[in-house]
Amino acid sequence: MDRPRIGTPLHVRPCGPWREVSERLAEYGNAVVYSTWGEWLPTAVTEPRLRPLLGRDWTRYRRLPDPTVRHRFVASRLLMKYTAAAALRTDPASLDVSYRLGGRPYLRGFDQVDLSLTHTGDLMAVGISRDGRVGVDAEPADRKMRFGLLREVMCTPSEEAELAPLPEDEQTAETLRLWTLKEAYTKALGQGMRLGFTEFGFGLRTGRLLAPDGSRAAPGQWAFATHHALGRYLISAACHDAGLDTSRDTSARTTLDPGFAAAMAEMSPPVS
């Protein structure tokens, strides 16, 4: 199996560029996009189809008392819906986003497609994959994560050995990068913070997944990447290649589970 790859995250707005999302899916089997709350606020406020777009999130949206929280909630859900719709080449309102235990989003009827959502500060990011699990995490690039304070709770012995000799500034930056990678990986697994960060590691130079003793783990099955966004954030992504015979055509008509498609055809979502 070829080692999976992750493309550079795309900065998207309500106007796009959405075609590039579908192109990333075709090339890499995954795509990572990011945006800011402010770039989606006008759409969140003026979108006439907001209720069908939010779907089952509509009730939760209506119950949020703080207007700022409500707008941010809408923006993140619209980003997720628009991204999935671009990948599947369909109408965002036709997609049904639901949540697994622990809050992980998924597209009902599209078992082949995996989603991950993260946000920090004014940034929000979405990962989508047709080849296996995906996880994304973001942090402010200037967040001070001190190696000396965190090494016992987040570092394997091999990571500690690589980090310890570094100058303080580099050590702090690498500790933050490792944190985001570990968050992205555990999100992709659906474990979140339930999986201890000392139970797996990464090579600082190679970026490969390692066992606690520094030996290779899961060769060829995972890809990891960290990129800067907007000059002030780090976005890390973890993508798994399940080795399935997935189709390059990820349009809704070929990816949608037939049974779910039949059930949806009998239903018309409320629009008022």
Side-chain angles (χ1 to χ4, degrees):
M1 180 192 304
D2 293 334
R3 187 180 180 186
R5 298 176 297 152
I6 302 173
T8 304
L10 294 167
H11 186 183
V12 297
R13 300 170 179 84
C15 60
W18 296 114
R19 182 176 179 179
E20 292 185 33
V21 176
S22 139
E23 291 172 349
R24 292 292 173 90
L25 262 289
E27 182 175 0
Y28 299 106
N30 60 73
V32 178
V33 304
Y34 67 92
S35 194
T36 65
W37 309 112
E39 289 170 321
W40 286 78
L41 181 57
T43 301
V45 171
T46 63
E47 171 58 63
R49 298 190 305 161
L50 189 58
R51 183 167 182 173
L53 276 168
L54 287 181
R56 65 186 60 239
D57 279 326
W58 174 257
T59 302
R60 181 178 173 186
Y61 159 72
R62 294 278 293 180
R63 289 175 178 171
L64 293 171
D66 187 304
T68 300
V69 174
R70 292 176 71 188
H71 290 147
R72 291 188 171 192
F73 179 81
V74 171
S76 64
R77 270 55 188 179
L78 291 181
L79 176 62
M80 191 161 51
K81 278 281 190 85
Y82 275 54
T83 300
L88 298 167
R89 299 195 292 279
T90 191
D91 180 4
S94 70
L95 299 175
D96 186 8
V97 174
S98 192
Y99 302 90
R100 304 188 192 281
L101 191 64
R104 182 179 176 83
Y106 71 97
L107 292 174
R108 295 186 69 231
F110 295 87
D111 292 339
Q112 183 180 317
V113 179
D114 198 43
L115 283 175
S116 181
L117 170 69
T118 189
H119 47 81
T120 183
D122 66 341
L123 181 87
M124 49 186 180
V126 169
I128 186 168
S129 173
R130 62 166 176 78
D131 288 343
R133 303 302 294 271
V134 62
V136 290
D137 186 64
E139 292 286 350
D142 61 355
R143 182 179 178 186
K144 302 299 182 185
M145 303 199 76
R146 303 297 183 188
F147 167 68
L149 298 176
L150 293 170
R151 61 183 178 182
E152 291 186 2
V153 297
M154 70 165 284
C155 292
T156 64
S158 62
E159 288 172 330
E160 190 171 345
E162 285 193 272
L163 285 167
L166 298 178
E168 184 176 352
D169 287 351
E170 187 177 349
Q171 190 182 76
T172 299
E174 286 297 311
T175 300
L176 177 62
R177 184 172 71 90
L178 275 179
W179 182 273
T180 61
L181 283 170
K182 293 194 174 199
E183 285 271 19
Y185 178 57
T186 55
K187 287 179 181 179
L189 294 175
Q191 294 296 311
M193 298 294 288
R194 293 187 297 275
L195 178 63
F197 281 6
T198 60
E199 296 180 36
F200 63 96
F202 291 95
L204 261 63
R205 290 181 297 275
T206 66
R208 293 184 182 276
L209 184 65
L210 303 175
D213 63 1
S215 60
R216 289 278 299 276
Q221 297 175 356
W222 285 91
F224 303 93
T226 303
H227 294 276
H228 282 84
L230 303 176
R232 59 186 186 275
Y233 292 104
L234 285 184
I235 298 177
S236 284
C239 290
H240 179 248
D241 188 342
L244 303 174
D245 184 19
T246 54
S247 170
R248 290 289 171 181
D249 183 2
T250 54
S251 63
R253 60 186 173 81
T254 58
T255 312
L256 182 63
D257 174 76
F260 187 79
M264 291 294 288
E266 298 175 0
M267 301 171 60
S268 56
V271 295
S272 60

